[in-house]
Each structure stands twice: as C-alpha cells, then as structure tokens.
Amino acid sequence: MDIFLERLFDGVTNGAVYAIMAMALVVVFRGTGTINFAQGEMALFTTYVAWWLTVQGQPVWIAALVAAAVGFVLGAVTERTLIRPIRKRNDMASLIVALGLFTGFNALAGLIWNSESKNMPSLFPAGQDDFTTVGGARLYFDALGVWLVVIVLIGAVFFLFNRTRLGLNMRAVADNPESAALAGVPTGRILMLGWGLAGIIGSFAGVLIAPLSAHQLGLTTMFPILIYASAAALFGGLDSPVGAVVGGLAIGLLEAMITGYVGFVGGTLPQTAALVIIVFILLFKPTGLFGTRQMERL
C-alpha cells in the first residue's frame, strides 16, 4: 500500500504540472483556435532565465516571478508580431510558425546557456529528509508545494475567466470574435493578453517540473511535458479549462501507474501511451470530455 501511495503522489504531482501546461494550451486555443506547439519551449526558455537568475544569487521565488514576466512578454510579443499577421492570411500557417518557434526557442536557449544539464533549485524544501508520512508512504514537501502552487494558479485562472471584465472579454472573443469586435471588445488586445497569460502559466510549469528528481533542466526537459499536456488538453477538451485540469491529473496518474506496474514500459514508453491516447481521442471523441461540440447549419 505504501508503494502504491508513493506512486499515487508522484502521479498527482506530475499530473498537476501537466494540468497547468494543458491550461496554457487551452487559453491560446480558446482565443485563436490553434495549438501552440511552441508553448513547451517558451516555458523552457523562461525556466532557463529563472535558473540563470538563481546562479546570479537571486532568491528562487524572485527568479520564478521574473521568469513569469518574461513569459508574458514572450507570449504577447509572439502573438502580436508573428501569429496575428500570419493568421489573417491563413489559419494553418499559425501551426507552421509555432513549429518554427519550437525549434527557435530551443536553439536560442542552447546558444545562450549551452546544452549541459542544469540543477534548477526547487521553490520548496527538497532534501531527502523533507517529507511527511501518509499511510506509511513518504510525501515530500516539494510535492506538496507543487500542489499548492497549481491550486493557486488554477483558482486564479478560474477567477479571471468568471469574475473579471477581462475574463468576460476573453470568453467573448473565444466564443465569437466577430460579434465581440462589433460589441466593442478590443479583440487584438485580448488575444495578445491571452498569449501573455499562457506564457505566465507555462513559465510556472517549467519552474515547477525542472527541480523534480526525474526532470533536470536541459534542452529536452519540456518536450515530453508538452506531449503529456497536449494529451491532457485533448482528453479534457481543447476549449475547457476544467478539462485541462482533469486531463492533466488523469495523464499524470496513468503515467505513474504504467511506469510502476508495467515492467517492460520503462521511462520512455509512457510518452507513446500519451500519443496513443491522443490518437484515440481524435478518432472517437475529438471534443474531449468537457469540450464544446461545434454545430454548423446546413
């Protein structure tokens, strides 16, 4: 039972990070109808910024906040200068630009900070003795901290969407940008802010996942996270923040249990399982569990 509980805790911890990365994908998709394949590498770049600041002697929490600010700027500038002009001509071109940004941000991070793995400090106590016992299983304080940050981020996003004028405008633009523009909503500014918000959320995902034992900071750190987050977003529904949370936790638990109880899987085949989930969702329920079904008049 204690082994099961430890794997359960690991699954919830990883799933929580997948959930906020999936939420970043959902925020962008709701506004533009496009999956931002560069979201993981943008998060990687901001995580390197946070790591560099800690090396310069800054507290890790200050570094994380600065990285979030950099993530906002990256997201907003990317939408304004690259995505918006291209999308006006061809929606599919946005996907090509996102793929280009994927390689570009990864190469830029390697150029600035080289390709060697880094030790990103945790936001929370992360020593071998920093844990509590639940049902005979060890629950580390850094995992509890990740859960707390994710709960706060999710709560902030839901408050933004449901209790603020900005969130109402973002929902209006996501549902019908043409009607929102006719009603006086500054759709361009809202889309730019949406990409900036996704950049903030992604930066926290990177800062949280990099210090965990299986994920040291390197140029490939965020690619598997993006795969799991994409599966989570599709599983829950690409236009549903609730679905992103449910999907992220489900994928995290599935990964932990498969890795722990299916011996031949190892550390890489769970990514294949995530890709299989994506294929099955696209085949049998493209809108996901909580996604909005699109209806067209014939």
Side-chain angles (χ1 to χ4, degrees):
M1 178 57 71
D2 56 338
I3 295 177
F4 171 79
L5 286 176
E6 288 188 4
R7 289 169 180 167
L8 179 67
F9 297 153
D10 290 341
V12 172
T13 302
N14 289 336
V17 178
Y18 303 156
I20 60 173
M21 180 61 77
M23 188 171 291
L25 296 175
V26 166
V27 168
V28 170
F29 184 85
R30 282 169 61 92
T32 63
T34 301
I35 298 177
N36 181 16
F37 289 110
Q39 192 71 64
E41 301 312 293
M42 293 170 68
L44 175 71
F45 188 86
T46 57
T47 306
Y48 268 106
V49 171
W51 168 83
W52 179 79
L53 287 172
T54 62
V55 172
Q56 304 306 310
Q58 296 298 322
V60 64
W61 275 98
I62 299 298
L65 293 176
V66 173
V70 173
F72 178 84
V73 173
L74 281 181
V77 170
T78 297
E79 192 282 329
R80 182 64 184 87
T81 61
L82 296 176
I83 300 299
R84 191 183 307 179
I86 294 296
R87 188 169 177 268
K88 290 179 179 178
R89 300 174 183 174
N90 187 336
D91 287 341
M92 291 301 296
S94 301
L95 296 176
I96 305 301
V97 172
L99 290 173
L101 289 171
F102 175 93
T103 59
F105 280 118
N106 189 281
L108 183 60
L111 180 65
I112 297 175
W113 293 290
N114 69 54
S115 59
E116 295 181 3
S117 296
K118 319 294 185 185
N119 291 316
M120 178 68 194
S122 176
L123 296 172
F124 309 98
Q128 291 296 320
D129 298 325
D130 294 318
F131 66 87
T132 186
T133 302
V134 179
R138 289 175 295 181
L139 177 57
Y140 286 92
F141 293 150
D142 58 344
L144 283 172
V146 169
W147 297 2
L148 178 61
V149 171
V150 170
I151 290 171
V152 171
L153 283 176
I154 292 171
V157 170
F158 277 90
F159 179 82
L160 172 67
F161 278 124
N162 297 294
R163 293 290 186 270
T164 67
R165 184 177 182 83
L166 174 60
L168 179 62
N169 288 338
M170 293 178 70
R171 290 167 60 189
V173 172
D175 291 338
N176 195 323
E178 292 80 10
S179 297
L182 291 174
V185 177
T187 56
R189 187 182 305 169
I190 294 300
L191 290 174
M192 185 173 66
L193 289 174
W195 276 70
L197 175 62
I200 293 175
I201 297 172
S203 70
F204 276 107
V207 170
L208 289 174
I209 198 67
L212 299 181
S213 59
H215 300 280
Q216 288 300 309
L217 180 59
L219 295 181
T220 60
T221 296
M222 295 307 296
F223 181 65
I225 308 303
L226 180 65
I227 293 177
Y228 292 131
S230 299
L234 285 167
F235 181 76
L238 274 171
D239 61 347
S240 172
V242 174
V245 176
V246 174
L249 292 175
I251 296 297
L253 290 171
L254 180 65
E255 175 200 13
M257 296 307 166
I258 288 178
T259 304
Y261 291 105
V262 184
F264 66 88
V265 170
T268 57
L269 283 183
Q271 297 174 29
T272 304
L275 293 174
V276 171
I277 291 173
I278 291 175
V279 172
F280 271 91
I281 293 170
L282 292 176
L283 284 175
F284 298 106
K285 195 172 177 55
T287 58
L289 292 179
F290 301 95
T292 302
R293 182 174 298 177
Q294 300 293 329
M295 301 183 67
E296 296 182 2
R297 186 187 298 264
L298 299 178

